[in-house]
């Protein structure tokens, strides 16, 4: 029993080290708050730890934790957005360290779902079908989110839209 | 520049600005996991205690404890006295780091919670000051607390079962590998 537990723990730690930086970056792009992104990742990896004996049997355990983290990030961001709206405080203030402040501000204008779709599609370079699976919506809904996100960003940034969603 | 190009460049730039503290975060997740497990077990213990108390009340009301109704009430399977005694434990395999633990151990679970460990000749650590406590079928012990990797793990808990002269343990909660090696992975034989 002890040997199995030790082996499982080593495998978990290996996966954590290999996947955490990339998952954190994706979650950060959705939440736009590094502290909140770390909290979300903590919760997602804790869930992975608790279900490790089952999830480790999957072909891609890292895909499982990434999906969980993305969904958690969307929920947290939606909740946060509602809260800030209620408090009527300044919304979507850009993070001070972001290189493209206009883009950061514009991204803050998107809904959490639109932002998640944009991050998974443009940053993680995932096909629409995978984005749809991660967000638990249909591919056509993903395309709609991307279309609306691009249009809004183009308007805010005074840029043109190429429309490259396939 | 199109929106798409700006997005790709901008998002990558933002992501690169993040510097994850992987080891620190891993430590936090493992710590939270351990604490959650402990809390769940404590909750389970409370639930079991509450259920036992309810059962006692029901049994009392049903007359189970009335000697005229039932003269023989069986006691719990694992009694603390059952575990006390002297044992020998033969460790035949260990990792390189634990190589000094290989050999014959003599262990005494003495009255008053004193745990005496007589290690094999090649053992490099100290064994004094060890103690144990029995709570139902779980034993808690601080043995090997001075060994590398165990200093921060104050004690471990194991479920025990005595069958004849054989004592076996199953780990409940412990992250001290040396303690697990002596307890969870071995069979303890009672000395006559």
């Amino acid at each position: 029993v002890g040997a199995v537990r030790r082996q499982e723990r080593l495998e978990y730690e290996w996966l954590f080290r290999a996947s955490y930086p990339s998952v954190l970056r994706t979650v950060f792009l959705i939440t736009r708050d590094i502290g909140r992104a770390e909290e979300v990742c903590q919760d997602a990896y804790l869930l992975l730890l608790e279900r490790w004996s089952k999830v480790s049997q999957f072909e891609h355990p890292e895909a499982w934790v990434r999906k969980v983290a993305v969904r958690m990030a969307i929920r947290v961001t939606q909740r946060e957005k509602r809260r800030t709206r209620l408090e009527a405080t300044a919304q979507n203030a850009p993070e001070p360290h972001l290189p493209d402040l206009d883009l950061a501000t514009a991204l803050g204008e998107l809904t959490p779902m639109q932002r998640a779709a944009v991050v998974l599609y443009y940053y993680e370079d995932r096909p629409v079908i995978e984005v749809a699976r991660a967000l638990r919506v249909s591919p056509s809904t993903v395309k709609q989110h991307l279309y609306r996100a691009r249009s809004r960003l183009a308007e805010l940034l005074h840029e043109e839209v190429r429309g490259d969603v396939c | 520049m199109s929106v798409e190009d700006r997005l790709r460049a901008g998002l990558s730039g933002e992501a690169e600005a993040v510097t994850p503290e992987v080891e620190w975060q891993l430590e936090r997740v493992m710590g939270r996991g351990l604490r959650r497990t402990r809390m769940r077990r404590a909750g389970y213990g409370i639930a079991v205690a509450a259920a036992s108390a309810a059962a006692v009340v029901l049994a009392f009301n049903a007359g189970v404890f009335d000697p005229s109704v039932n003269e023989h009430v069986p006691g719990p399977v694992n009694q603390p006295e059952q575990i006390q005694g002297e044992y020998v434990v033969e460790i035949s395999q260990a990792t390189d780091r634990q190589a000094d633990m290989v050999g014959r151990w003599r262990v005494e679970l003495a009255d008053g919670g004193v745990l005496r460990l007589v290690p094999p000749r090649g053992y490099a650590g100290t064994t004094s000051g060890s103690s144990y406590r029995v709570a139902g079928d779980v034993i808690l012990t601080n043995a090997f607390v001075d060994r590398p990797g165990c200093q921060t793990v104050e004690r471990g808990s194991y479920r025990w079962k005595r069958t004849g002269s054989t004592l076996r343990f199953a780990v409940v909660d412990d992250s001290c590998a040396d303690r697990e090696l002596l307890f969870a992975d071995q069979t303890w034989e009672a000395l006559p």
Side-chain angles (χ1 to χ4, degrees):
Chain A
V1 174
V4 169
R5 276 166 57 108
R6 271 197 297 279
Q7 185 59 31
E8 281 191 346
R9 186 183 164 143
L10 286 176
E11 284 170 5
Y12 174 85
E13 288 180 355
W14 183 87
L15 182 101
F16 187 102
R17 290 189 178 103
S19 62
Y20 181 82
S22 148
V23 173
L24 177 70
R25 288 186 174 115
T26 296
V27 169
F28 164 69
L29 292 176
I30 297 171
T31 61
R32 301 177 62 251
D33 178 326
I34 189 64
R36 208 163 297 285
E38 282 176 347
E39 279 170 23
V40 165
C41 287
Q42 278 273 320
D43 290 344
Y45 277 93
L46 185 60
L47 205 60
L48 177 69
L49 179 66
E50 288 176 342
R51 301 186 184 176
W52 181 243
S53 55
K54 186 180 171 193
V55 179
S56 61
Q57 306 300 313
F58 296 174
E59 204 174 338
H60 299 294
E62 72 280 6
W64 185 90
V65 71
R66 183 181 296 276
K67 216 183 307 186
V68 167
V70 165
R71 286 174 191 165
M72 281 180 173
I74 293 169
R75 272 201 302 275
V76 164
T77 313
Q78 282 169 337
R79 212 165 40 224
E80 186 69 14
K81 204 157 189 168
R82 272 198 295 272
R83 197 176 64 80
T84 49
R85 209 177 293 144
L86 283 172
E87 288 173 0
T89 54
Q91 288 182 47
N92 309 321
E95 296 290 325
H97 64 283
L98 298 182
D100 189 340
L101 288 179
D102 290 340
L103 178 67
T105 309
L107 282 167
E109 294 291 319
L110 303 180
T111 67
M113 276 296 266
Q114 286 173 353
R115 208 183 306 154
V118 160
V119 169
L120 294 175
Y121 188 79
Y122 288 104
Y123 170 64
E124 289 207 345
D125 221 10
R126 297 191 182 269
V128 168
I129 187 88
E130 269 187 41
V131 177
R133 259 185 235 132
L135 301 182
R136 274 201 280 214
V137 294
S138 68
S140 57
T141 305
V142 170
K143 286 181 185 175
Q144 211 169 49
H145 281 313
L146 290 172
Y147 172 78
R148 286 185 182 154
R150 275 198 314 267
S151 303
R152 183 83 180 113
L153 291 173
E155 186 190 325
L156 292 166
L157 298 169
H158 311 291
E159 299 277 12
E160 60 178 38
V161 182
R162 205 170 56 220
D164 60 351
V165 180
C166 44
Chain B
M1 189 190 271
S2 70
V3 167
E4 291 85 351
D5 292 337
R6 195 155 167 190
L7 267 174
R8 287 200 171 94
L11 290 172
S12 295
E14 282 186 43
E16 288 312 309
V18 175
T19 45
E21 297 166 306
V22 181
E23 292 306 317
W24 163 238
Q25 294 295 340
L26 174 60
E27 211 172 287
R28 281 187 62 201
V29 170
M30 299 308 275
R32 279 181 68 190
L34 195 62
R35 278 195 297 279
R36 230 181 230 203
T37 309
R38 281 180 185 153
M39 279 168 70
R40 249 201 309 270
R41 282 185 186 135
Y44 175 74
I46 290 165
V48 168
S52 307
V56 166
V57 170
L58 285 173
F60 188 81
N61 289 340
V64 171
F65 295 136
D66 184 347
S68 62
V69 177
N70 191 346
E71 286 184 359
H72 299 286
V73 180
V77 178
N78 277 356
Q79 296 284 4
E81 304 78 51
Q82 277 185 297
I83 203 172
Q84 285 174 12
E86 281 190 71
Y87 301 85
V88 283
V89 190
E90 198 75 49
I91 296 180
S92 55
Q93 280 187 323
T95 61
D96 288 350
R97 196 188 60 73
Q98 298 168 311
D100 63 327
M101 290 183 71
V102 171
R104 191 182 171 90
W105 287 74
R106 198 180 163 114
V107 184
E108 186 187 352
L109 296 165
D111 194 16
V114 177
L115 174 62
R116 293 191 187 94
L117 295 163
V118 182
R121 209 177 286 269
Y123 182 68
T126 57
T127 55
S128 58
S130 301
S131 62
Y132 74 98
R133 188 160 62 84
V134 176
D137 62 350
V138 172
I139 180 172
L140 296 111
T141 176
N142 67 351
F144 300 108
V145 77
D146 64 327
R147 291 277 284 183
C150 301
Q151 284 101 337
T152 54
V153 192
E154 206 175 276
R155 63 188 181 184
S157 56
Y158 297 83
R159 206 168 297 285
W160 62 277
K161 187 177 170 65
R162 173 132 188 199
T163 317
S165 63
T166 303
L167 184 62
R168 285 175 186 276
F169 299 91
V171 67
V172 173
D173 186 16
D174 202 355
S175 49
C176 166
D178 294 348
R179 202 155 44 212
E180 268 194 47
L181 180 62
L182 184 72
F183 280 75
D185 300 340
Q186 315 298 332
T187 300
W188 292 25
E189 279 298 331
L191 287 171

